[in-house]
Amino acid sequence: MENGFAIAGDYMSAASFLGISGLIALFGYDGMLYSVGFLVAWLVVLLLVAELVRNCGRFTLADVVAARMRERPVRIAAGTSSVAVSVLYLVAQMVGAGSLVALLLGGTSEAARAWTVIGVGALMVVYVTLGGMRATTWIQIVKAVLLMGGTIALTVLVLLRFHGDFNALLTTAAERSGHGKEFLSPGLAYGGGWTARFDFMSLGLALVLGTAGLPHILSRFYTVPTARAARRSVVWAIGLIGSFYLMTIVLGFGAAAVVGTDEVRASSAAGNTAVPLLALDLGGGAGSTGGTVLFAVVAAVAFATILAVVAGITLASSASVAHDLYASLKRPHPNGKPHAKAHAKQHGQGHKPHTKAHAKPRSEVAVARLAAAGIGAVAIALGLLARDLNVAFLVGLAFAVAASANLPVLLYSLFWRNFTTRGAVWSVYGGLVPAVLLVVFSPVVSGSPEAIFPGVDFQVFPLQNPGLVSIPLGFLAGWLGTVLSREQADEAKHAESEVRSLTGAGAV
C-alpha cells in the first residue's frame, strides 16, 4: 500500500493537477483525452511490465535489457534515453511552479517566474542529494495524501455549488466557455483538419504507451520485496490515480463554469492556473478570508506536488547516470568488462580486491549526486524557455519520447527470444533520436504564435506530438537491428531471464 501511494504520488504531477484541469477548462471534451490516456496507460503497466521488471532488474531499466545482452552499449543507450525522458518531464514541473508562484505574487512578472523555476530546481537537488530513495518515497506518500485530500475537497465544493447536479455543471461550463455545445463535443482542440486529427491519435498513443517506459515509474518496482508486492502496488496506484483523474474532470469543467474560460485564459494562456483560481472563487472570491485560505491550501498542495515529482524523477535519472552511464563509460575493467561483472567473478573465484568492490558503490553515489545537480540545471534552463506552454502538454512530449525509446527495447527484451545487442541499441536510438528531432522541428518550438521561439520558423513536422511516427520507428529499428545483426541471440541467457521474469527465481 505504501508503495502504491508512492507510485501514485510520483505519477500525479503538476501536469495532472494543474495542466489537465486547465486544458478541460479551455477545450472541454478534448481536454479529457489527457485524463483518459494517463489512466488507461496503467493497464499496460500492470499487464506487461510491473511484475517482470521487478523480477529482472535491480536499479534501472537498463538492468532488464542488460541481463541478456552485452552490457556496455546497452547501458549507455538506456541511460541516455532515461536522462532525456526525465529532463523533458522535469521541464513540465518547472513550468507549473513558475505559473503558480506568479499567480501567488499577484502578477505574471517574468522575473518572479524565472526565480521560482530556479528555486524549485535548487530545492529538488537538495532533496535528492541528501535524502535518497527513502526520503523521496515518504515525500511521495505525504504528497499523495495531501493531493487527494485537496482534490476531494475542491470536487465536493464544486458539486455543492451546483447542488450535486452534474448536468447543470456541464451546461453552465458550456455557456461560460464561449463555445456553447461545441465545448462538450469532440473537436474543439483536435477537430481542425487532418493534421489536428493525426495529432489527436499521436497524443493518445503516446499517453497510453508512455507510462510503461518512464524511468521514475519503473524504478519504483525495485523498492518492493516481491513481484506480488509490485502487482499489488500497481493495483493500489490504479485505484488512487483513477479516482483522482475522475475528479480532475469535475475540476476542469468546474473552472470553466465557476471562473469562466476567458478569465482562466487571461490568467495563463496555457490554462495552468485554472485550479487555484477555482479555489479562490469557491472559498468566497478575491479578498475574502475563505477564498484566501482555500487558495493558499491549493497552492501549497500544488507546490508539494511539484517538489515531490521533481525529486522522484531526479533520483531516477541521476541513478541512471551513475549506475548505467558512469559505470559503463568511466570505469571499464581492464579486460573490457564493466566492474559489476568483474566483481561477481572476483567474489566467485575468491579473489581478494574487496576494496574496489566497495569503492564502486560509494563512487556511484557521488556521481549520482553530481548528476542530480547537472540534470536540475538543464531542466531549469529548459523550464525558463518553455514557461508559456501547458504542463500537461509538455508531459505528453515526455511520454512520447519514453514510449519511442524505452518501451520497444523493454518489450523486445522480455518477450522476443532472438533479440540481440544491436537490436537493443538500435531500438533505443531509433526511437529517441526521431522523437527528439521531430519535437525540435515541430510547431512546439517554432513557426506558431504559441511556440517556444515564436519569432523564427524552422518547422518541418506538422504534428505537435511525435508519438505517431517515433513509436513505430523505435519498434522497427529494434527489429531491423536484430535481423541485420550477425550476433546470435544467447538462448541460455534468454531462458534464464524468462524464468526469472516469470517466477522471480534469483531476483534480488
Side-chain angles (χ1 to χ4, degrees), residues 122-132 314-315 365 368-373:
L123 265 174
M124 91 184 161
V125 171
V126 172
Y127 266 148
V128 175
T129 51
L130 299 182
T314 310
L315 186 72
V365 169
R369 286 180 171 156
L370 285 172

Side-chain angles (χ1 to χ4, degrees), residues 5-61:
F5 268 86
I7 290 172
D10 246 340
Y11 196 68
M12 298 186 300
S13 65
S16 305
F17 190 53
L18 303 175
I20 294 177
S21 304
L23 284 170
I24 294 172
L26 296 181
F27 300 111
Y29 184 98
D30 281 9
M32 287 202 305
L33 172 67
Y34 283 87
S35 290
V36 175
F38 282 146
L39 177 58
V40 171
W42 279 97
L43 298 178
V44 179
V45 177
L46 182 61
L47 288 171
L48 296 178
V49 173
E51 180 181 351
L52 306 179
V53 165
R54 159 67 191 82
N55 287 338
C56 282
R58 293 184 64 195
F59 300 111
T60 63
L61 162 75

Side-chain angles (χ1 to χ4, degrees), residues 324-349:
D324 299 327
L325 296 176
Y326 170 74
S328 300
L329 284 172
K330 300 294 182 190
R331 305 189 57 195
H333 196 254
N335 66 5
K337 291 181 181 174
H339 275 292
K341 273 193 170 178
H343 292 159
K345 275 192 174 178
Q346 287 164 356
H347 288 285
Q349 294 166 0

Side-chain angles (χ1 to χ4, degrees), residues 245-301:
Y245 282 128
L246 282 173
M247 289 187 287
T248 60
I249 294 171
V250 177
L251 297 186
F253 283 115
V258 174
V259 180
T261 300
D262 291 340
E263 284 79 358
V264 171
R265 191 175 275 113
S267 170
S268 165
N272 292 330
T273 55
V275 172
L277 289 173
L278 174 65
L280 189 63
D281 204 302
L282 289 172
S288 67
T289 307
T292 308
V293 169
L294 195 56
F295 178 83
V297 168
V298 167
V301 167

